[in-house]
Amino acid sequence: MGRSFASRVSHPRLKWVVLVFWLVVAAASAPLAGGLTDEQENDIAAWLPSDAESTRALELQTELGSDPDLIPAVVVYERSGGLTAADTAAVEDDVRAFGQLDALDGAVTGPVPAEDGEAVQLIVPLNVGADGWEQIAPVVDGIRAEAADGPEGLSAYVTGPAGSAADQTEAFEGIDGTLLFAALGVVIVILLITYRSPVLWVLPIFSAVIALFTSQAVIYLLARYADLTVNAQSASILTVLVVGAGTDYALLLVARYREELRLHTDRHEAMTEAVHRAGPAVLASGGTVVLGMLCLSFAEMNSTAGLGPVAAIGVAVTLMVLMTLLPALLVICGRWVFWPVRPTFGSAEPSATGIWARVGARIKPRPRATWVVTSVLLLVACAGVFLLSPTGLTQAEAFRGTPESIEGEEVAARHFPAVAGNSVYVVTSAGSAAEVTDTVAATDGIAQAGEPQVVGDRALLEASLADRFDSPAAYATIERLRTALDDAGDGRALVGGNTALNLDVQDASQRDNLVVIPLIMLVVLVVLGLLLRALVAPVLLIATVVLSYGAALGLSALVFDWTIGVTATDSSFPLFVFVFLVALGIDYNIFLMTRVREEAVDHGTRRAALIGLAATGGVITSAGLVLAATFAVLGSLPLTFLTQLGIAVALGVLLDTVVVRSVLVTALTLDLGRHMWWPSALAQRRDVPDPTVGSAPQVPSGQGASARS
């Protein structure tokens, strides 16, 4: 980073301008950030692949008069041993009560008795409008309260699409505040341990909060005025990403600033040098994350594609705040902020004899054996990948625990052959309606086909599945039906409904895995090549990233099996884990290898590898702990996908920082030496004699090029 910029953010007078600027921005951003929840789009179109057959069928259903905001609630009553007369009377009272609901759209269907006489169900069609995500939970809660007020021993459950939507809404309720405070809590604890200062942690946390509010405000404005798609999932990940990444960048900058304070009497000069030296690594790592996140825009899944720009904006804003506000705050406060261990001019650099210097000394005699053994162990961990089943979660598996909608589905499945939500919708031309209806009725796995509704030149047919809508058998039925309809009528019939939507989501996610993951790898490879001005080092670093990713997935599968008992994952799980492990994990590659390259100019590559590990090992480990802890916070949510994502990313980051970056990459660099930088001129520069043979490396007092400032 240019020395001119570095001197401005730490200038004795301009530092106050920087502080005031960000305080004004924060004051203006806070109310806008609070409105982000209102701009979230959590309707089905915000999640689905836009060009999928089921999505096009849904659009045509709307044109034919089928209201996409219509969502049925299924109320199931059960008494073991058989329903009583009092039970029947109570259900009739509920029918009348539900008939008065403001959200009712049509007539209540039922009571429909089960053949065994132990259960009865009602279907209550609800329409809460386009803002159904926010409005459905209170309506369903009212239905649940009314249904529960029956004779003792009569169990009542509200399930179906409305019950499930309400449970999902309540799972996300208050999520932003919960995640923010939980993430900040774990980060504060780690920073207290890392800095051993009761004051210093305040500055990175304050900067991260400013970055979060500012990024949320920017995203709010883009969502409101530029059609940026934001949903509850992307908003939740944004919170964790900004706090985690922001604290990571702060750790690197503070660590370099503390080094420079030992080399300069004036703290402003020390900060100028710190920003000048650490800035390129921070900007390169942040820029890589931004580019990696933007690669998600090429996904077919709207929910995945929407996360890309949201996350990229969050990281970009975080970079701006951390590279301007934090340096200003640090020089305003002065050296006392490091109390009780203040870095004084001329004092010894503690990292020179720290734990990572000793680790480097252990690796140095046998680097090849070290990286071979480490690689083999990581490959063994990769074997756990075969336990994962990224074919999608059933509705029951999507929740941790058993909400009422899932209990109700299980009860309904015991007493009724099919429940609301099992419908398949087929849209075809009016002229093909009769033949398409016969084909649908004759398809194995279809329980019943209704009469087509003809509107103009199109027809809409509703049929019922014989199997549970999220079961493998139901998905197989949709595939058979689509194949059969290719030869029915004009061959242009479209199959929609919940099961078809879920199947298309799985197919789109698998396509995204195959397209977006290689694209991100290519972007990261190019950035590393430009930054390190070499080919060998970037290729090896990418290889270690892939190995780390596989090991993280394998270990995660074992943890899922031991803890939550679900080894199935959402279809997009491999891509999301890859994005966060690679795009964020590349930070640690950049932190380490830019320092190694800087020191290699004066000390040769092998000596520089030990210096780089000693100087950055502590900050990389701390940064990894922060990022792992913030993502682990996702595990506190009652949704399986976010819990699995949090566990996998936390495990992967710890593995990356403690084993891959610090041991495997260091061992590879020691083994290859100057050849790591091929074909740059640095690859021709032979290592200088090591004055510390047999001992822990001493970080040069001048820190490479910084000594000449």
Side-chain angles (χ1 to χ4, degrees), residues 55-74:
T55 308
R56 288 181 283 135
L58 182 63
E59 294 170 352
L60 291 176
Q61 283 175 243
T62 304
E63 293 177 9
L64 291 171
S66 177
D67 192 340
D69 297 326
L70 184 65
I71 180 169
V74 179

Side-chain angles (χ1 to χ4, degrees), residues 352-354 356-361 607 610 690 692-699:
T353 55
W356 292 109
R358 295 194 293 273
V359 168
R607 174 78 179 132
L610 300 177
D690 189 348
T692 59
V693 174
S695 64
Q698 300 296 311
V699 176

Side-chain angles (χ1 to χ4, degrees), residues 87-132:
D87 296 337
T88 302
V91 172
E92 292 289 354
D93 288 342
D94 287 348
V95 171
R96 287 188 287 273
F98 299 152
Q100 303 301 313
L101 290 171
D102 292 337
L104 188 70
D105 190 347
V108 177
T109 302
V112 179
E115 291 183 1
D116 58 15
E118 294 186 346
V120 66
Q121 74 175 6
L122 308 174
I123 299 177
V124 185
L126 302 174
N127 193 326
V128 289
D131 295 328

Side-chain angles (χ1 to χ4, degrees), residues 37-38 40-43 47 133-134 136-137 163-180 230-240 303 307 398-400 403 570 576 634 636-643 645:
T37 301
D38 297 332
Q40 291 178 14
E41 296 181 23
N42 293 297
D43 61 331
W47 298 77
W133 177 265
E134 290 80 16
I136 192 65
S164 177
D167 288 337
Q168 290 189 45
T169 301
E170 291 174 350
F172 278 104
E173 188 175 2
I175 189 173
D176 292 337
T178 301
L179 281 177
L180 176 59
V230 185
N231 57 36
Q233 178 177 280
S234 58
S236 303
I237 292 175
L238 174 71
T239 300
V240 172
S303 56
L307 173 62
F399 293 93
R400 289 174 55 207
D570 188 87
F576 275 60
L634 289 174
S636 65
L637 302 177
L639 297 171
T640 302
F641 171 71
L642 290 179
T643 297
L645 181 64

Side-chain angles (χ1 to χ4, degrees), residues 74 140-141 144 156-172 394-412 468 637-640:
V74 179
V140 170
D141 287 344
R144 284 173 171 164
Y157 309 88
V158 180
T159 182
S164 177
D167 288 337
Q168 290 189 45
T169 301
E170 291 174 350
F172 278 104
T394 65
Q395 192 152 297
E397 291 171 335
F399 293 93
R400 289 174 55 207
T402 310
E404 184 174 317
S405 62
I406 301 303
E407 291 184 73
E409 279 189 6
E410 294 170 353
V411 171
R468 182 186 172 93
L637 302 177
L639 297 171
T640 302

Side-chain angles (χ1 to χ4, degrees), residues 74 121 309 324 333 435 505 536 663:
V74 179
Q121 74 175 6
T324 55
C333 292
E435 186 177 349
V505 164
V536 173
V663 177

